[in-house]
Amino acid sequence: METEPAVQDRMQAKKEVRRIKNLPTVPGIVAKISRIVENPETSVAEVGRLIAQDQVLSAKVLRMANSAFFGMSRKISSISQALVILGFEVVKGLVLTSSVFDMIQKSMAGLWEHSIGCAAASGVIAAHLGRDDAEEILVAGLLHDLGKVVLALNLPEEMRRVRERVAADDIRFYEAEGLVLDFDHAEIGQWLAEHWNLPESLAEPMRLHHRPEKAVLKPEWTAIVHVADIIVRAKGFGHAGDDIVPPLSPRAWEILGLRKTDFLPILEKLDPKLASLRDLTALN
Amino acid sequence: MAKRIAVDKARPGQILAEEITRQDGVLLAGRASEITEGLIRMLGRMNIDTVVIEEAERRTREDILGEWQAELERIGRAFRRAADSPELGALRKTLIFLSEQERDKALASLELSEPAEGGEGAAAAGEGAAARAAGAGATPGPGQTSGGGAGSAADPRPDARGKPGARRPKAAGKDR
C-alpha cells in the first residue's frame, strides 16, 4: 500500500517529536533552588547565599533587578535584597532567565529583545490594570517564547523551513509552524515547562499566549502576555520570527476589561522603559 | 542621544549616558559622569569593551522627517493583516499619534537649538518652530472625544503673547 503524502508527513512529524524529547536540562541552579525550597525550614537568606555563589549569574540577576522593568528608586545591590524587595518568585524567574540568556541570544536574532520588551509591556499593562502581581506577570512575559529557543537550537533544520515559509508566503511564524511542522513553539514551550518543573502559572502563558481564551488557571496572566506580545510587535521592538501584528483575542480583551483609550497611557509608560532596556540587550 | 562605543574610541570629556558596573555589580562610574584618561585605562585593564556615551544631537530636519516616514511605513506593514479589528485599529492610531509627537518634539528641539541673531530672533524662532510643529502635529489623541488635543490653552511663555508678527502657537496635545 502506497503511503499518501499526508500520512508520510505525520510519520515525519512523529520522528521530529521524538527528536525534540532531547530537551535542554533545567539550569542547575534552578533545580537546586527548587530542591532546597521544598524544605519549609529553608530561609530566604539560604536561597540568597545559594544564588550568590554564582557571581556571573548573580550579576545578571542584579542587572535585571535594577533595570527599567521594576523602576525601583533605590539600587538593589545584593541577591538577598532582591529577594526581600521583589519576592522569591520574581527572583527565581530572573535566575531562570539569566541562566538561559545565552541560549536565547544564540537562538534567534532579536528574540531576547522581543522577550524583554514583552516582559516590560506585561508589567506596564498589569500595573495599569491595578494588579499587585505585575512583577510576576512580567516574568511570564520574559519566558513566553522559550519554545522558539528550543526549536531554534534543537531543530535547526525545521526552524529553517519555518522561516523560509514565513518569507515565501508572507505569513506569521506560528502559521508557518502549523504548515511545516505538526506542533508549534507553544507546545514546545509546554514540554519544556513540564521538563523543567515550572509552575503552571508560567507554563500556561508559554502554552497559550496565542490562544488566551483557553487559559483556565490564571486567564488574566495569559491575556496580559498575549496583549503585551501584540504591543511589542506593533512597536517593532525586537524580532519574534515575523513582522506581522498577531490577531487580538476578543476574549482576552474582555477578560482584562481593556478599552481602546488604554493604549495611549500604556504606550506612554512603556516607551521610556523600552528606551532604557536597550542597554539590557547585553546582559554581561 | 545615547550611543554605545568601543572603549578604545572613548575620549576624555565625553559624558557617560549609562553607568558602568563591574561584573560583580560594583559601580565603577556613574551615569552623567565625565570620562577621564584614568577611567579609560582602568576599563581597558578590566576587559570592559564598550561604554555608552551621550552623543550630541546632530539630526537634521530631513533626518527627523525621514525617520518618521520610515516609522509610518513600518507601522503600516506591521498592521497589514489587522484590517478588521477595531482594537488593533486603535493601537495603530495610537502608535501613529505618538510617532507624530516624537517627530514634532524633535523638530521643535532642533529649531530651538539652532543659532539665532540675538534674543528677539531666538524667541521668534522658538515660537515659529512651535507653531510649525503644532500645525504639523495637531491631531487629537486617538479615542479622545471631548477635551481633544487641539485645544487652545494659553502658551505659558511670557513673550509669546502679542508680539508683533509672531503667531500664537497652538499647544498640540497639551490637554489630552
Side-chain angles (χ1 to χ4, degrees):
Chain A
M1 180 188 70
E2 207 176 72
T3 37
E4 312 165 28
V7 177
Q8 275 177 345
D9 283 342
R10 199 147 301 144
M11 284 163 59
Q12 179 64 25
K14 283 225 166 84
K15 287 199 207 117
E16 287 162 356
V17 169
R18 271 199 290 274
R19 278 176 60 193
I20 212 170
K21 286 313 182 186
N22 278 333
L23 291 168
T25 44
V26 63
I29 183 78
V30 175
K32 274 192 206 148
I33 294 176
S34 303
R35 259 200 315 274
I36 72 172
V37 162
E38 269 163 35
N39 178 356
E41 311 271 308
T42 304
S43 67
V44 165
E46 278 177 73
V47 176
R49 272 198 295 276
L50 176 63
I51 298 171
Q53 276 170 20
D54 185 335
Q55 285 192 358
V56 172
L57 181 77
S58 298
K60 290 183 167 129
V61 171
L62 288 176
R63 277 205 65 187
M64 290 178 68
N66 284 305
S67 74
F69 285 145
F70 306 107
M72 296 280 143
S73 48
R74 298 174 61 162
K75 188 178 165 88
I76 297 179
S77 45
S78 71
I79 296 294
S80 3
Q81 207 184 355
L83 283 165
V84 169
I85 295 180
L86 296 173
F88 174 70
E89 288 304 327
V90 172
V91 170
K92 192 163 153 214
L94 294 183
V95 168
L96 178 60
T97 306
S98 305
S99 312
V100 299
F101 166 74
D102 288 330
M103 265 173 67
I104 299 178
Q105 281 239 319
K106 260 207 300 260
S107 64
M108 235 171 90
L111 188 60
W112 171 248
E113 287 76 5
H114 170 76
S115 301
I116 60 180
C118 189
S122 299
V124 168
I125 296 169
H128 179 78
L129 294 170
R131 299 186 64 101
D132 55 10
D133 50 5
E135 287 90 9
E136 294 174 67
I137 300 177
L138 181 160
V139 170
L142 266 175
L143 302 172
H144 78 286
D145 260 350
L146 274 188
K148 279 187 190 147
V149 175
V150 174
L151 181 62
L153 298 180
N154 282 41
L155 297 177
E157 178 54 31
E158 285 73 7
M159 175 59 119
R160 195 186 56 80
R161 280 163 43 209
V162 170
R163 302 190 81 162
E164 270 175 10
R165 203 58 187 266
V166 167
D169 294 6
D170 192 31
I171 53 177
R172 300 182 172 105
F173 188 88
Y174 67 81
E175 289 168 330
E177 282 176 310
L179 295 171
V180 168
L181 310 171
D182 210 27
F183 47 83
D184 59 22
H185 66 279
E187 271 180 82
I188 301 177
Q190 174 61 28
W191 297 332
L192 189 70
E194 282 166 14
H195 194 58
W196 286 6
N197 271 320
L198 297 184
E200 175 65 2
S201 56
L202 290 181
E204 201 174 45
M206 284 167 74
R207 188 172 72 251
L208 294 174
H209 60 273
H210 289 299
R211 294 175 300 157
E213 61 279 358
K214 301 245 190 285
V216 295
L217 179 75
K218 292 196 175 186
E220 289 136 333
W221 280 34
T222 298
I224 287 173
V225 173
H226 168 80
V227 175
D229 180 50
I230 287 171
I231 288 178
V232 172
R233 282 157 175 273
K235 284 201 60 70
F237 191 84
H239 183 74
D242 62 62
D243 65 352
I244 312 176
V245 171
L248 174 61
S249 154
R251 182 78 190 112
W253 188 256
E254 210 185 292
I255 291 174
L256 299 177
L258 283 169
R259 287 158 308 175
K260 296 188 209 133
T261 45
D262 285 321
F263 282 129
L264 188 58
I266 287 172
L267 285 168
E268 285 179 327
K269 274 256 151 61
L270 183 59
D271 280 349
K273 283 191 193 258
L274 292 181
S276 62
L277 281 175
R278 283 194 190 280
D279 210 35
L280 211 62
T281 53
L283 242 201
N284 12 297
Chain B
M1 181 171 307
K3 179 171 136 164
R4 185 174 287 278
I5 59 166
V7 162
D8 57 15
K9 295 251 177 336
R11 298 285 170 266
Q14 288 172 330
I15 305 293
L16 288 173
E18 300 291 342
E19 63 184 28
I20 306 177
T21 48
R22 215 163 59 180
Q23 271 221 336
D24 57 2
V26 170
L27 183 73
L28 295 174
R31 184 197 294 255
S33 62
E34 192 173 301
I35 295 184
T36 61
E37 279 287 352
L39 179 66
I40 295 175
R41 267 184 274 124
M42 178 169 76
L43 296 178
R45 280 200 302 274
M46 297 179 121
N47 289 322
I48 291 179
D49 296 326
T50 65
V51 290
V52 184
I53 58 163
E54 290 289 348
E55 170 130 271
E57 185 88 22
R58 271 177 217 283
R59 292 192 297 169
T60 64
R61 194 182 159 78
E62 288 69 38
D63 289 337
I64 293 168
L65 291 175
E67 282 169 25
W68 173 63
Q69 255 320 111
E71 175 64 2
L72 283 186
E73 282 167 21
R74 188 200 64 76
I75 293 174
R77 271 200 314 276
F79 282 83
R80 62 187 181 279
R81 286 175 58 184
D84 48 2
S85 165
E87 292 81 17
L88 289 182
L91 176 57
R92 197 182 110 260
K93 287 201 200 102
T94 310
L95 287 169
I96 292 173
F97 170 72
L98 287 171
S99 77
E100 287 169 353
Q101 266 200 337
E102 264 310 301
R103 173 202 66 193
D104 295 343
K105 264 201 315 220
L107 286 174
S109 120
L110 186 68
E111 307 238 11
L112 286 169
S113 65
E114 259 157 22
E117 335 77 345
E120 288 214 33
E127 290 166 35
R132 266 197 296 283
T139 40
Q144 308 287 331
T145 44
S146 54
S152 49
D155 190 279
R157 292 170 299 167
D159 45 350
R161 292 185 212 110
K163 245 201 149 129
R167 280 176 291 153
R168 175 166 310 186
K170 270 189 297 182
K174 231 176 153 183
D175 46 329
R176 268 186 281 101

